[in-house]
Amino acid sequence: MLIRTRHRSECSHSEVTPREVYARRREFLRTSIGLGAGLALGGLGMSAPAAAALRGYELEFEPGDFSTDESKTSLDEITSYNNFFEMGPGKSDPKTYADQLKTDPWTITVDGLCDNPGEYAVEDFINPWSLEERIYRMRCVEGWSMVIPWIGFELNRIIEKAKPGAGARYVAFESIYDPDNLRGQRRRPRASGGLEWPYTEGLRLDEAMHPLTILSVGLYEEVLPNQNGAPIRLVVPWKYGFKSIKSIQHIRFVEEEPPTLWNQAQPDEYGFYSNVNPDVDHPRWSQRTERRIGEFRRRRTEMFNGYGDEVASLYDGMDLREHF
Ligand SMILES: Nc1nc2c(c(=O)[nH]1)N[C@H]1C(S)=C(S)[C@@H](COP(=O)(O)O)O[C@H]1N2
Ligand SMILES: [Mo]
């Protein structure tokens, strides 16, 4: 199975990337896939390109619109400082226990209020779409941020294919539920932290349709590492990181605002909207500033994480203190 981009006629890859660089990149990917099978990388169990080769993936993508030119957080930081509570509450747990996430085989169900529901093997789910690189600022509710070069495609492709009906106003997402393998989901109170598994999230349909909202299947030219939400995760860059649900298995169109894991656990701390908003403090800390991972001085946090020009109009007429 191949993941390919269809080259856009008005902007082919060879126009934006000097030919030799492009050729060398392909060479690099081939080499690392060839070598990868023999490598064992700490928590990953195997290098991402090796996993890619085993799944038969080939990542080809174009640099996309909407990307920031701020300097990227290193691959090492992006893959070793994570939140993925299915593998435990610590920032290093997801890398340490990454191989507890079993991604092969993987099925994604699309259903609810839509004319074209379906159940897809993840390869068939991804393959029809051209992949782009989107370099996004990401801001965690805990006060740190990163700049991540995602590879993915717009969620609106999936929505248009599914054809939601008139009654569909929200999209509900659900992650993997596999307590036999995922230590964070075992029903011991201390390990589960009182969270209701599986991890759930939701967006209003217009937020889900917005071109900034993507499904990601890779980063830094590699197939998505397990700790970042393999094989496919949501990325919504103007909202706090927890909205960007990892390892998705279920997408459903619904009429009412769907329950979400963090809102159920602590409704006064984590609202449904969760737009990055320096004017609304978390009950236990300020949201005025953030620490960009890899930097020393804190930065001021921007409204909508700096994506206000693109998304502010989605919330016209809403009181974003009430709908935090
Ligand atoms: N299934 C699932 N998705 C999740 C989480 C999680 O624990 N489980 N954590 C969220 C939080 S709090 C953040 S900040 C981001 C972190 O994404 P990253 O580790 O790829 O940077 O994932 C989000 N998606
Ligand atoms: Mo987060």
Side-chain angles (χ1 to χ4, degrees), residues 82 209 318:
N82 302 97
M209 287 295 293
M318 280 179 74

Side-chain angles (χ1 to χ4, degrees), residues 82-127:
N82 302 97
N83 273 336
F84 202 165
F85 286 74
E86 285 86 337
M87 295 161 191
K91 298 287 174 262
S92 58
D93 287 341
K95 181 175 178 177
T96 306
Y97 300 106
D99 59 1
Q100 294 187 350
L101 178 68
K102 308 298 177 197
T103 59
D104 202 1
W106 193 275
T107 305
I108 297 170
T109 304
V110 180
D111 63 7
L113 305 170
C114 63
D115 295 339
N116 190 21
E119 205 177 286
Y120 306 88
V122 67
E123 296 83 355
D124 302 332
F125 187 79
I126 296 167
N127 264 327

Side-chain angles (χ1 to χ4, degrees), residues 155-156 159 164 168-171 202-213 236 238-239 253-254 272-273 310-316 318:
L155 173 63
N156 56 41
I159 297 174
R169 294 175 54 228
Y170 295 88
V171 187
L203 295 172
R204 217 170 55 191
L205 189 58
D206 58 342
E207 297 176 319
M209 287 295 293
H210 195 281
L212 276 176
T213 305
V236 195
W238 72 93
K239 293 176 182 279
F253 298 95
V254 296
F272 178 82
Y273 283 92
E310 287 86 3
V311 302
S313 64
L314 294 175
Y315 309 101
D316 278 350
M318 280 179 74

Side-chain angles (χ1 to χ4, degrees), residues 83 140-142 241-242:
N83 273 336
C140 178
V141 73
E142 294 166 289
F242 62 88

Side-chain angles (χ1 to χ4, degrees), residues 68-82 135-139 144-150 219-220 228 290-295 299:
T68 175
D69 54 12
E70 289 174 51
S71 35
K72 293 177 273 190
T73 305
S74 73
L75 177 63
D76 183 55
E77 308 256 39
I78 293 171
T79 56
S80 59
Y81 190 85
N82 302 97
I135 306 171
Y136 282 165
R137 293 181 293 274
M138 305 298 293
R139 168 63 156 83
W144 45 272
S145 63
M146 297 192 189
V147 176
I148 302 184
W150 302 108
L219 56 82
Y220 265 115
N228 295 93
E290 67 199 55
R291 183 172 70 89
R292 180 70 51 87
I293 298 295
E295 292 181 358
R299 300 170 169 247

Side-chain angles (χ1 to χ4, degrees), residues 154-275:
E154 292 176 12
L155 173 63
N156 56 41
R157 309 285 178 94
I158 297 296
I159 297 174
E160 277 160 13
K161 183 174 176 184
K163 298 190 172 51
R169 294 175 54 228
Y170 295 88
V171 187
F173 303 87
E174 211 173 273
S175 297
I176 182 176
Y177 181 63
D178 184 14
D180 288 345
N181 288 304
L182 294 166
R183 61 195 288 276
Q185 289 185 331
R186 286 180 202 137
R187 291 280 169 199
R188 286 178 285 116
R190 228 156 57 106
S192 73
L195 301 174
E196 285 194 44
W197 303 109
Y199 197 102
T200 48
E201 259 306 337
L203 295 172
R204 217 170 55 191
L205 189 58
D206 58 342
E207 297 176 319
M209 287 295 293
H210 195 281
L212 276 176
T213 305
I214 59 169
L215 288 170
S216 171
V217 300
L219 56 82
Y220 265 115
E221 310 195 8
E222 295 187 4
V223 164
L224 204 59
N226 281 3
Q227 58 267 50
N228 295 93
I232 186 163
R233 58 92 56 85
L234 187 67
V235 179
V236 195
W238 72 93
K239 293 176 182 279
Y240 291 119
F242 62 88
K243 295 295 284 185
S244 295
I245 182 173
K246 296 176 170 182
S247 304
I248 296 169
Q249 290 194 331
H250 205 136
I251 299 176
R252 172 176 285 149
F253 298 95
V254 296
E255 186 168 358
E256 306 288 337
E257 188 181 287
T260 69
L261 175 132
W262 291 110
N263 184 246
Q264 282 174 310
Q266 276 146 321
D268 58 325
E269 301 194 357
Y270 310 109
F272 178 82
Y273 283 92
S274 300
N275 291 315

